[in-house]
Amino acid sequence: MTPRQTADHRSARLSLKRAVVFVTTFCNFRCGFCEFAADRLPRERKIHFPFDRWEGFLREFKALGGREVYLTGGEPLMHPRFWEMVELAQRHGLPVHRVTTNGSMRAQMGAGEFRLAREAVRAMQVSVDSPRAEEHDASRGFTGAMERLTEFIGALRAEGAQVHISNVLTRDLFRRSAELVEWAHGLGVRHVNFQPCNWESNYGDYDAVEDKERFAVPDEEMDSLEIALHEAHRVARHHAVSTNLPLLRRWVRAFFECQGTGEFFHDRLFARFRCYVPHETVYVGSAGEIFPCTLLRHVGTLAEGSLSDLWRDAMQPVRDHLDRGRFFRECQSCYCDFPANVRKNLQRHPLRHAGKVLSLLPYYMGRLRTH
């Protein structure tokens, strides 16, 4: 194959669908497992995405085939022009698939903001560590955090906005999983997403929290974790609350057992696993950095080159590396795009993974179902 043919072949495999944008690194909470915690990130690294660059980014992203954006942080609602960013995305025909928030910014929202949350955002995803106020507040390092987010969820629901709950499974709080589903159901929330706490940094250009492994579930508690998630799944089915547990429960033990060992947990699950995230998703930092994924370091910035050049060329060495089945150390902690990667790998080798295809078909056909 000639270099031109190789380039054309690579381009044919690219299908940009989504952008995950860290609109700010500012946060008002002090979560012990987060690299953007208010008391941890140096002042010089607290940055808002430049608003004057936002519309140009949206235009170029859409021209490349982009279909939807995810907005996160930091605490994204701390960006002084956050809702203007949402409105611009709506004007350009780009749905905001998720806004991940700690639920503390209700007081900064008026009728216009609630309208955008209802009409331009598919789901406001509120992070909750525990359904018990004292535990959640302690985990967040913010007294009154639970009171604020409960009021925020109630206001969003009253305005007709879609609300999801997200939860990080930490060593101290994973046993609250079923109780969390029950609590969410009581608030009228119809989806709860669970995610493991990894030992690496969640953001490629930032050092991991010191002693972060103290939050990860250790091997000796794996049985307890599986029991807790089984009960959470049972409660979710009882209340018809959708979750990602049908998928997560299959892989969570391997994920935690491989943390810090050098073993890649995907190797326990698939024959010839490949990562497809950099073929479909671009991650954008608050300073305009372009990342192949949230765990890897940036390959360039929007100040240095166009999104098109960074997407097609600067990210290509990472794709080539992953396409050859070679993974980076950070890949060991990958979970954020695991559902999409599982689907892609099952599609790629359906016969080799026939049992998994059949057992997970209801999950993917129904998207986020509890069964």
Side-chain angles (χ1 to χ4, degrees):
M1 186 178 289
T2 68
R4 173 63 180 273
Q5 289 173 323
T6 300
D8 290 344
H9 175 68
R10 288 170 175 170
S11 296
R13 297 185 61 187
L14 293 182
S15 179
L16 181 58
K17 295 179 180 178
R18 66 191 64 85
V20 179
V21 186
F22 296 87
V23 299
T24 184
T25 57
F26 279 78
C27 189
N28 54 345
F29 281 8
R30 298 172 177 83
C31 306
F33 50 80
C34 182
E35 287 72 23
F36 289 168
D39 59 345
R40 181 172 298 109
L41 195 65
R43 179 176 294 274
E44 63 271 16
R45 302 206 75 177
K46 294 183 178 181
I47 304 166
H48 296 307
F49 188 94
F51 182 76
D52 59 3
R53 194 184 292 276
W54 180 239
E55 189 162 19
F57 168 79
L58 292 174
R59 287 198 183 99
E60 192 169 9
F61 172 67
K62 190 170 183 180
L64 288 169
R67 303 176 189 174
E68 61 188 21
V69 293
Y70 293 54
L71 303 181
T72 184
E75 169 48 50
L77 274 63
M78 289 187 73
H79 192 296
R81 305 187 73 172
F82 175 77
W83 291 106
E84 291 177 76
M85 296 175 78
V86 172
E87 188 171 29
L88 276 174
Q90 183 185 44
R91 286 184 197 169
H92 284 273
L94 291 167
V96 178
H97 188 72
R98 292 282 187 280
V99 172
T100 301
T101 173
N102 62 31
S104 66
M105 306 294 288
R106 163 68 179 87
Q108 285 70 38
M109 293 180 65
E113 288 78 13
F114 279 111
R115 178 188 62 78
L116 286 168
R118 179 180 65 250
E119 297 177 0
V121 181
R122 288 176 177 167
M124 297 290 293
Q125 183 162 280
V126 183
S127 301
V128 184
D129 292 337
S130 170
R132 302 186 182 187
E134 66 280 6
E135 292 178 346
H136 177 77
D137 289 4
S139 178
R140 296 279 155 162
F142 190 99
T143 301
M146 175 60 79
E147 182 180 359
R148 283 198 184 192
L149 75 84
T150 303
E151 180 187 356
F152 184 64
I153 290 172
L156 287 169
R157 293 271 302 138
E159 293 291 338
Q162 184 71 246
V163 182
H164 291 178
I165 295 295
S166 65
N167 173 259
V168 178
L169 295 166
T170 61
R171 178 177 188 167
D172 296 330
L173 297 175
F174 72 80
R175 292 176 179 82
R176 303 286 188 238
S177 300
E179 191 178 336
L180 180 67
V181 174
E182 192 84 49
W183 175 85
H185 169 69
L187 291 176
V189 174
R190 309 308 304 159
H191 177 69
V192 181
N193 189 77
F194 296 92
Q195 182 169 322
C197 183
N198 67 66
W199 290 5
E200 298 285 346
S201 171
N202 287 318
Y203 313 98
D205 282 3
Y206 295 79
D207 293 334
V209 172
E210 187 176 356
D211 297 328
K212 190 173 182 178
E213 62 269 18
R214 64 192 164 98
F215 293 100
V217 182
D219 291 352
E220 60 268 23
E221 296 190 43
M222 281 298 104
D223 290 344
S224 296
L225 175 65
E226 291 187 332
I227 291 169
L229 296 185
H230 174 80
E231 177 61 12
H233 191 188
R234 186 193 68 77
V235 172
R237 294 185 66 173
H238 174 72
H239 290 304
V241 173
S242 68
T243 72
N244 63 332
L245 289 174
L247 182 62
L248 175 65
R249 288 177 58 204
R250 295 173 180 272
W251 323 128
V252 70
R253 178 183 284 267
F255 177 89
F256 277 121
E257 287 180 346
C258 290
Q259 293 292 299
T261 67
E263 182 182 355
F264 188 36
F265 81 103
H266 287 296
D267 289 339
R268 295 192 186 182
L269 312 175
F270 295 99
R272 297 186 61 198
F273 174 84
R274 295 293 183 268
C275 177
Y276 297 94
V277 171
H279 292 274
E280 298 183 346
T281 305
V282 62
Y283 289 78
V284 186
S286 301
E289 311 98 321
I290 298 299
F291 301 86
C293 83
T294 187
L295 298 178
L296 299 178
R297 294 192 176 275
H298 76 270
V299 298
T301 72
L302 293 173
E304 300 167 341
S306 68
L307 175 62
S308 178
D309 289 342
L310 292 166
W311 165 251
R312 296 183 187 279
D313 300 327
M315 281 176 56
Q316 192 57 49
V318 175
R319 296 187 192 102
D320 290 342
H321 190 82
L322 294 172
D323 287 348
R324 290 192 291 268
R326 299 175 182 174
F327 297 95
F328 302 94
R329 174 183 55 79
E330 293 86 353
C331 297
Q332 187 187 39
S333 291
C334 175
Y335 183 78
C336 291
D337 287 283
F338 189 43
N341 257 337
V342 169
R343 183 182 68 249
K344 287 283 187 179
N345 278 273
L346 294 180
Q347 291 172 341
R348 187 169 181 262
H349 295 295
L351 296 179
R352 187 175 296 173
H353 302 112
K356 293 186 180 73
V357 171
L358 292 175
S359 63
L360 289 173
L361 192 60
Y363 173 81
Y364 283 105
M365 293 294 289
R367 303 193 68 181
L368 296 172
R369 296 277 180 84
T370 59
H371 52 82

